Amino acid sequence: MNEKILIVDDEKEIADLFEVYLKNDGYTVYKFYNGEQALKCIEETDLDLALLDVMLPDTDGFSICRKIRENFFYPVIMLTAKIEDGDKIMGLTIGADDYITKPFNPLEVVARVKTQLRRYMRYNNPIKTQEESVKEFDIRGLVINKDNHKCILFGKELQLTPIEFSILWYLCEHQGVVVPSEELFEAVWGEKFFNSNNTVMAHIGRLREKMNEPAKKPKFIKTVWGVGYTIE
């Protein structure tokens, strides 16, 4: 294990604590207390995951997340003292993979880091088994390929995060079937779903945005209100 993790938090005690925990688990850590230095590191370093505090002295975590998503697809975990659902949905919508509210248990954060890294490595280095037969779906101009982890819509490649790719692949695997939000969350995130969880909705919104899908009359990912989502 030698994954490279970026920590950006202006609360020195928190950043230093995460650094100790993650280094003890064998990760290489790049730690910064402001956005300017972090952005330089993002451009110069081949990172595997970023932990971003929302509130920073010179910028905010949302801006850094947007900058990451311009070129990179590794997991981003947002850290914040805010508890409003709107902030959480915003973070997930702009490309964050997880959102943790302060105060938090450092061990929980480390566990979430490991979960995101496992998922990221799995979808970027897929393990092939004899049971895997379908490698690609072509649905009315939407082509998604599991081997090369590419998604093409009407001849144009979509820049999807590992989470977004996983959601779309799962829906394509179950084409014509309404997939409940609970099932989709537990299949993609590997965690127990709670009724107040808006994560799936936020990521579906982000997917539709990248696919230029109108929210009211989408051509591909359709909402079955009170149930879940489907690709017909």
Side-chain angles (χ1 to χ4, degrees), residues 137-144 151-153 158 160 164-180 184 204 207-208 211 213 218-224 228-232:
F137 290 99
D138 187 344
I139 303 174
R140 304 188 312 278
L142 173 66
V143 180
I144 183 168
C151 180
I152 310 295
L153 180 61
L158 302 180
L160 303 183
E164 292 164 352
F165 184 93
S166 182
I167 290 173
L168 191 56
W169 179 264
Y170 195 85
L171 290 174
C172 288
E173 277 188 316
H174 297 80
Q175 182 183 358
V177 176
V178 179
V179 179
L184 189 57
I204 290 291
L207 260 175
R208 284 174 173 162
M211 297 170 71
E213 286 258 77
K219 295 180 180 179
F220 292 98
I221 304 176
K222 298 185 178 181
T223 301
V224 179
Y229 303 94
T230 183
I231 290 183
E232 297 178 348

Side-chain angles (χ1 to χ4, degrees), residues 89-101:
I89 292 172
M90 178 180 177
L92 295 172
T93 300
I94 64 175
D97 298 279
D98 203 353
Y99 200 100
I100 305 176
T101 304

Side-chain angles (χ1 to χ4, degrees), residues 4 66 95 125 141 149 160-161 185 201 222:
K4 299 174 182 177
R66 289 191 187 95
N125 300 282
H149 207 268
L160 303 183
T161 67
F185 181 85
M201 180 181 67
K222 298 185 178 181

Side-chain angles (χ1 to χ4, degrees), residues 107-158:
L107 291 176
E108 177 189 355
V109 177
V110 172
R112 294 204 189 191
V113 165
K114 292 179 178 180
T115 297
Q116 291 295 335
L117 284 172
R118 282 198 302 270
R119 185 177 297 117
Y120 176 64
M121 298 303 176
R122 181 170 73 245
Y123 284 107
N124 283 275
N125 300 282
I127 300 175
K128 298 177 176 58
T129 65
Q130 293 182 349
E131 289 78 12
E132 288 181 318
S133 55
V134 179
K135 304 294 184 182
E136 183 176 279
F137 290 99
D138 187 344
I139 303 174
R140 304 188 312 278
L142 173 66
V143 180
I144 183 168
N145 187 292
K146 196 171 186 179
D147 278 345
N148 60 24
H149 207 268
K150 288 186 177 182
C151 180
I152 310 295
L153 180 61
F154 302 133
K156 181 179 179 181
E157 183 176 353
L158 302 180

